[in-house]
Amino acid sequence: GEEGLAKMLAIILAGHGLARLGIDAEWVGGSSCGGGSLSVQWLQLGCRGEAWLLDLPTLIATPSSAAHLQAALGALFASPRLLKVGFGLAADLRVVRSAHGSLRCCCAPSAVSPSVDLVNEWRKLRGAGAVSSLSALCATVLGAPLDKRCCLSNWGRRPLAAQQLEYAALDALVLPTAHEELERRRIRAGGAPAGTGLAAHCFCACFAKPVARAALAEGERVVRVELRLGRTFAPIGEGEPFARGTVRVL
């Protein structure tokens, strides 16, 4: 509700300097990895080691609650201190606008800036004809693919299963991490950071921590997290944390 959105804003915008904000969406009958123009159920945001899963049908159930959500997303998406990062970001936001008319303004392309779409970075790595896949991008730049078994699960169920919460949270958290590593590689290769002006260089300088090793799960190299709502979570297995933070469902 309003209180949860206010806390989310305070946490994300409280930090000094620039940061990355991962954005992803899930909908009934599919998710950001596929599916049709169906009802968007969840919008996931990941920033500063925290993930928020926004229950869109609940948060727009009344004109008052919809107005609070629109104001919160508008403040985040328009903030010049947050680089919005997605994989197929324009497509995700288009589906959100189509499904929820009250969010058309705050999710309009011109309202989400500055932003970067990792699909474009993936095509630079693998060519224009490469199949768009966040999991494949993670395998290339972070050392392991994502576990996508929940991709086509029922995102309309309430409450979500623990595996769905894990999946949705990690999709949002991995976006800033993947972009961070891509920028680090670009700088090492002598290239300029993506984006323009001082902001792009600042984004690179703000994230100096090493990219962690992927954890082993069920005999495969997959990135997984152990999720405990309202508490910190870390990867299953040994090695440095791939993602660490808290997950909140609003």
Side-chain angles (χ1 to χ4, degrees), residues 28 34 67 71 79 131 220:
V28 170
S79 173
V131 176
E220 298 177 292

Side-chain angles (χ1 to χ4, degrees), residues 123-180:
R123 289 171 178 166
K124 291 176 185 177
L125 287 173
R126 287 294 182 263
V131 176
S132 296
S133 168
L134 177 58
S135 180
L137 173 64
C138 289
T140 300
V141 302
L142 300 178
L146 296 172
D147 185 344
K148 305 297 287 185
R149 285 175 292 182
C150 284
C151 180
L152 299 179
S153 60
N154 179 14
W155 293 101
R157 66 174 290 175
R158 300 294 187 276
L160 293 179
Q163 294 86 349
Q164 290 176 300
L165 292 170
E166 173 187 318
Y167 173 94
L170 187 55
D171 261 13
L173 286 169
V174 77
L175 290 164
T177 305
H179 182 256
E180 175 186 348

Side-chain angles (χ1 to χ4, degrees), residues 38-121:
L38 300 174
S39 175
V40 178
Q41 295 289 307
W42 298 90
L43 185 68
Q44 303 104 270
L45 305 177
C47 185
R48 305 183 193 280
E50 307 260 0
W52 287 267
L53 312 185
L54 306 184
D55 184 346
L56 294 186
T58 298
L59 292 172
I60 65 169
T62 68
S64 175
S65 62
H68 288 305
L69 177 61
Q70 183 178 21
L73 292 180
L76 294 177
F77 291 172
S79 173
R81 296 194 295 113
L82 294 173
L83 177 65
K84 275 63 73 172
V85 185
F87 194 91
L89 179 60
D92 279 350
L93 294 176
R94 182 170 59 249
V95 175
V96 172
R97 294 195 304 271
S98 177
H100 303 297
S102 60
L103 302 180
R104 286 176 184 167
C105 291
C106 64
C107 292
S110 60
V112 183
S113 177
S115 66
V116 61
D117 195 328
L118 295 187
V119 166
N120 299 327
E121 302 303 313

